[in-house]
Amino acid sequence: MKIAFIGLGNMGGGMAANLVKAGHDVRAFDLSESAVAKAQQAGCATFDSATEAVQGVDAVVSMLPNGQIVKGVYTSEVIGHAPTGAILLDCSTIDVATAREVIAAAEGAGYDMVDAPVSGGIAAANGGTLTFMVGGTDAAFGRAKPILEAMGKAVIHAGAAGNGQAAKICNNMLLGIHMIGTCEAFAMAQKLGLDAQTFYDISSVSSGQCWSMTSYCPVPGVGPATPADNDYEGGFATALMLKDLRLAMEAAESSGAATPMGARATSIYEDFAGAGHGGLDFSAIIKIL
Ligand code: NAD
């Protein structure tokens, strides 16, 4: 298949390389020259603009920083430039309202389009083990699935347009909340004289068990190897967790959902990022508890 790939950053670079490995003819574009050069090394054909990259393609995949950029790229550089028979897949994490607006504009111009944000970080993007949560019609999902399968281990249809983004921000709001809760519990256990490993051994098989504890333990030397064992470097940056929590708070406000814990998690991560820790893994929040 001829696939245009727009946005070859930390995530998109590895994803485009996996499409090449799966035998696709990938036509890449990014504003960053170094990102374009890496994509070329990975076997992509490269272009000077998105409008050139999308000429004659069967599909367009994008992995961009935010909703405003996604809207700008699709409305000015993809819609009306890619053939209408092309399936459009936006894998960026953006707000639900913009995702729905862009998909409606694409559908109005005759395209099938899905929102397909991912769970999994840079290692999963490079390794082709992302999880995709997909919003769009059954027909659009059916067309998008084999393309996404070349970049991930799971591809799940979340419902209508925008529901991929809804699933992503609800999941990440829950993750932010239970990471802070896990950190609080470890910090209090220590103050009460309870050894972290002993608390882990008990809680990981008791009702407090959660992913933040057993798969991503914030305490160094306890549980499986995690960013905590690497001084909180690598992993899922606090700044990205904060981005997702802010998107969740926008969605809560526009939908009238009550999210008191999500709001508290957002303000705790805002303080942590504001203190200069935006680059640390989000489990480093334990440092301030
Ligand atoms: P990044 O900043 O590394 O990459 C974004 C790329 O988009 C950059 O190379 C930038 O030059 C390019 N770009 C910006 N505007 C452009 C335009 N108009 N035309 C073409 N290219 C343009 O970001 P990333 O870490 O790869 O994240 C991309 C998306 O994936 C974000 O929405 C992010 O929230 C989401 N995400 C990231 C992670 C992660 O761990 N990094 C995990 C899950 C989801």
Side-chain angles (χ1 to χ4, degrees):
M1 242 188 207
K2 238 186 212 186
I3 303 178
F5 204 110
I6 307 170
L8 308 158
N10 288 321
M11 297 291 290
M15 292 164 69
N18 284 324
L19 288 176
V20 172
K21 281 185 205 150
H24 295 295
D25 172 4
V26 180
R27 298 164 59 91
F29 173 69
D30 193 291
L31 294 177
S32 147
E33 280 179 21
S34 64
V36 169
K38 271 193 205 152
Q40 198 165 30
Q41 278 168 12
C44 299
T46 59
F47 295 85
D48 292 334
S49 68
T51 50
E52 285 172 72
V54 303
Q55 294 301 315
V57 297
D58 304 300
V60 178
V61 182
S62 55
M63 194 55 166
L64 294 160
N66 61 47
Q68 206 187 344
I69 293 175
V70 167
K71 188 175 163 183
V73 166
Y74 276 91
T75 53
S76 321
E77 297 166 75
V78 176
I79 295 172
H81 297 279
T84 47
I87 167 88
L88 313 181
L89 306 89
D90 179 42
C91 299
S92 326
T93 301
I94 69 169
D95 61 286
V96 176
T98 302
R100 289 184 174 151
E101 190 186 334
V102 174
I103 293 177
E107 287 175 347
Y111 298 89
D112 275 340
M113 179 169 185
V114 295
D115 54 301
V118 307
S119 175
I122 300 163
N126 290 334
T129 57
L130 294 166
T131 293
F132 290 92
M133 29 209 122
V134 188
T137 62
D138 288 343
F141 175 73
R143 294 181 66 193
K145 196 170 179 238
I147 299 168
L148 296 172
E149 279 170 344
M151 302 182 283
K153 66 171 172 18
V155 180
I156 301 163
H157 194 188
N163 279 23
Q165 300 295 350
K168 165 86 186 174
I169 55 168
C170 290
N171 179 73
N172 279 21
M173 180 179 78
L174 178 59
L175 172 62
I177 293 168
H178 68 63
M179 176 55 80
I180 293 171
T182 302
C183 291
E184 279 184 9
F186 272 109
M188 187 160 88
Q190 188 195 21
K191 286 212 154 57
L192 295 173
L194 177 57
D195 171 61
Q197 181 64 54
T198 307
F199 175 57
Y200 176 89
D201 292 343
I202 294 166
S203 197
S204 63
V205 292
S206 300
S207 49
Q209 186 277 337
C210 63
W211 187 88
S212 292
M213 173 173 286
T214 49
S215 295
Y216 212 88
C217 188
V219 179
V222 177
T226 65
D229 300 306
N230 191 30
D231 215 9
Y232 303 98
E233 297 293 336
F236 184 45
T238 291
L240 287 173
M241 171 50 84
L242 183 55
K243 171 189 169 179
D244 293 353
L245 285 168
R246 284 176 170 152
L247 290 175
M249 292 305 95
E250 267 178 47
E253 196 175 331
S254 65
S255 65
T259 54
M261 299 295 285
R264 190 74 187 102
T266 306
S267 88
I268 291 171
Y269 275 109
E270 265 165 1
D271 290 349
F272 192 54
H277 305 303
L280 289 182
D281 180 72
F282 79 116
S283 65
I285 197 79
I286 198 167
K287 286 173 182 268
I288 58 162
L289 294 169

